[in-house]
Amino acid sequence: MTALWTRDAAVAATGGRPLGRDWTAAGVVIDSRKAGPGDLFVALPGERVDGHDFVAQALQAGAAAALVARRPDGLGDDAPLLLVPDVLEALAALGRAARDRSSARIAAVTGSVGKTGSKEMLAAALAAYGPTQASQGNLNNHIGAPLSLARLAPTVAHAVFELGMNHPDEIRPLARLVRPHAALITNVELVHAGYFTGIEQIADAKAEILEGLEPGGAAVLNRDNSQFDRLAGHAARLGVGRVVTFGTGAGADVRLLAASSDAAGTRVEAEVAGRRLAWTVGGIGRHWALNSLGVAATLLALDLDPATGMAALGEVAAMRGRGGQVRLDLPGGALTLIDESYNASPPAVRAALAVFADTRPATGSRRIAVLGDMLELGAGAPAAHRGLAAAVTAAAPDVVFLVGPQMRSLAVTLPTGLVAGHADRSEDLAAKVAAAVGPGDVVLVKGSLGMRMKAIVTALEALAVPARRVVNGG
């Protein structure tokens, strides 16, 4: 077992008091169900559950120790515990100590859309140069970022961290904890608009990532984005001496020349710092091509030769819930499910519809879109949903199903007869969608996480015999 944290190192980082037997941890977890041999279980308190209630379960599963604010009942005297005043603050302290001891070159990623895919591409690209670590899944908030840092092994050469927010002042402390050498802002759009007064305020919140840059660090900015000048202004105000840009215009350091997609992925041709390069991304769609430009620009910002890293992107595809495509074998043929059930915003829905439009059903079969409400849009929600009409009709679906009260605004703008069903809850529409699909169809399921679009996905997967098969994605 490779040591990530010894008891003495964890005590030094947190100032906590060790109880019970000595220990060494190879991992850090916050979910007792995922605790295994050698893990340090962090017993976070929560609104619905308290991690302290699961310490015994984690230790029984083989966890090396538990980070706690009180001694749980029922444990033996030798139970390996690290007692601290505040567990979340102690987790942040572990992250800070891991960052302090690391010699890795670090990239941080934020943006309104595309940050998780960009993080995954960056991780794959950086792995071509040496041992690399990245935040897992969607661990990008005040818990996820410290947890990801606390897992940072001292031996890695590069690391990538995703930082997210839906309010002002959320990214700033995370960026100062991560202290990246390069900070990529994929774009700024009207996402989480219900918590901001306008897109400019969203740009200001995204720019907080620049406040954590190490001396000599670089900002990586999307030159095509409407907020580029505002972001560049923040970089100048903060004394960031280097800005690397990407986009489609001639002024970008990394400029798109051509992009084309098929079932295997997306082929990209670009000019990178004056040099013509080509690469393939496993993800399908022009948005993957554009996001990959930001990856190349980040490699430049880290003073790496992009040709080496970009060659590794062919294995990076959309994950389930974020555009991953799944082949479901039905009696009589296969159905292609485009699973976008994790989240939704106006630009993300348009990107998903573009991929949907390019995914061909079998002869005589149909293209079916199932769209759920986009949440956190505030007073602009009705207009934002109506504004999807052109993208929906351009995708040429044969049938549309809608989920959520806001989708009524879209329903009234679509051609008569196109909408085959509407319900405020996904669970109330799942059976109807499942009954409507058939062999050879292409089905897009897209909506915000709070709309529980996974219920639609689950209903479709239940049709498969004997099992689903991944086409593109995890």
Side-chain angles (χ1 to χ4, degrees):
M1 180 179 71
T2 302
L4 180 62
W5 291 102
T6 64
R7 184 175 75 171
D8 289 347
V11 168
T14 64
R17 180 162 64 95
L19 303 175
R21 61 183 180 271
D22 194 11
W23 52 270
T24 298
V28 183
V29 298
I30 59 174
D31 186 341
S32 62
R33 295 168 297 182
K34 297 180 180 179
D39 284 329
L40 172 61
F41 172 58
V42 181
L44 290 170
E47 294 180 2
R48 293 177 293 179
V49 296
D50 186 340
H52 291 79
D53 297 335
F54 302 95
V55 168
Q57 176 182 323
L59 294 177
Q60 289 169 4
L67 183 64
V68 297
R70 58 177 173 82
R71 184 183 184 89
D73 295 334
L75 297 181
D77 292 341
D78 68 339
L81 306 175
L82 180 55
L83 186 64
V84 296
D86 185 290
V87 175
L88 183 57
E89 288 184 7
L91 178 61
L94 286 176
R96 191 174 298 108
R99 178 65 183 89
D100 287 343
R101 72 187 182 188
S102 175
S103 61
R105 296 281 286 172
I106 290 178
V109 183
T110 194
S112 296
V113 291
K115 54 184 176 292
T116 299
S118 295
K119 180 256 297 182
E120 295 296 329
M121 284 191 285
L122 260 175
L126 289 170
Y129 307 93
T132 296
Q133 203 163 324
S135 52
Q136 297 176 6
N138 200 40
L139 293 175
N140 63 17
N141 63 3
H142 68 291
I143 296 173
L147 174 62
S148 297
L149 262 180
R151 292 169 168 172
L152 182 62
T155 55
V156 302
H158 300 96
V160 187
F161 297 95
E162 177 183 335
L163 305 182
M165 64 90 194
N166 58 15
H167 289 80
D169 304 317
E170 287 189 84
I171 289 180
R172 180 178 293 110
L174 305 182
R176 290 175 175 173
L177 192 65
V178 170
R179 292 168 29 217
H181 299 94
L184 165 62
I185 303 176
T186 60
N187 47 49
V188 177
E189 304 290 349
L190 278 170
V191 177
H192 309 303
Y195 302 113
F196 296 91
T197 58
I199 194 169
E200 294 82 7
Q201 194 180 52
I202 297 173
D204 295 342
K206 296 298 183 185
E208 293 172 17
I209 196 173
L210 305 179
E211 298 182 30
L213 278 171
E214 286 283 85
V220 183
L221 304 179
N222 184 341
R223 197 171 184 89
D224 292 348
N225 191 255
S226 67
Q227 299 303 301
F228 170 75
D229 289 340
R230 193 174 187 90
L231 296 174
H234 279 291
R237 174 180 59 81
L238 293 167
V240 177
R242 187 178 180 197
V243 175
V244 184
T245 63
F246 63 97
T248 59
D253 297 308
V254 178
R255 180 169 67 96
L256 182 68
L257 300 177
S260 59
S261 294
D262 57 25
T266 301
R267 178 73 173 171
V268 183
E269 295 180 29
E271 186 178 88
V272 181
R275 180 167 51 146
R276 194 181 185 104
L277 294 178
W279 58 82
T280 298
V281 182
I284 300 171
R286 183 177 173 84
H287 59 295
W288 279 94
L290 295 172
N291 287 333
S292 75
L293 302 180
V295 173
T298 305
L299 297 180
L300 284 177
L302 293 171
D303 299 316
L304 298 169
D305 179 4
T308 300
M310 301 308 285
L313 300 192
E315 299 302 315
V316 181
M319 298 178 290
R320 289 298 307 271
R322 298 179 181 272
Q325 295 192 13
V326 181
R327 179 187 174 94
L328 301 177
D329 290 322
L330 309 183
L335 173 153
T336 299
L337 167 64
I338 305 175
D339 182 0
E340 287 268 11
S341 58
Y342 184 79
N343 215 338
S345 63
V349 173
R350 292 187 177 93
L353 286 167
V355 173
F356 174 66
D358 288 339
T359 307
R360 303 300 178 192
T363 301
S365 297
R366 301 186 299 173
R367 190 182 285 113
I368 299 171
V370 188
L371 305 177
D373 280 1
M374 304 176 292
L375 303 180
E376 298 184 355
L377 295 179
H385 286 79
R386 285 195 301 272
L388 296 176
V392 172
T393 54
D398 296 287
V399 177
V400 174
F401 291 93
L402 301 176
V403 177
Q406 292 293 345
M407 278 296 168
R408 292 193 182 94
S409 297
L410 174 62
V412 299
T413 67
L414 294 177
T416 302
L418 183 59
V419 178
H422 176 270
D424 283 350
R425 301 189 326 133
S426 60
E427 294 87 349
D428 296 334
L429 197 62
K432 189 171 184 178
V433 173
V437 305
D441 288 349
V442 173
V443 184
L444 167 67
V445 179
K446 179 73 171 173
S448 286
L449 186 62
M451 297 309 299
R452 297 170 56 88
M453 301 299 286
K454 182 67 174 176
I456 306 287
V457 171
T458 300
L460 294 174
E461 289 181 327
L463 301 174
V465 287
R468 66 180 180 87
R469 286 184 281 158
V470 173
V471 176
N472 186 284

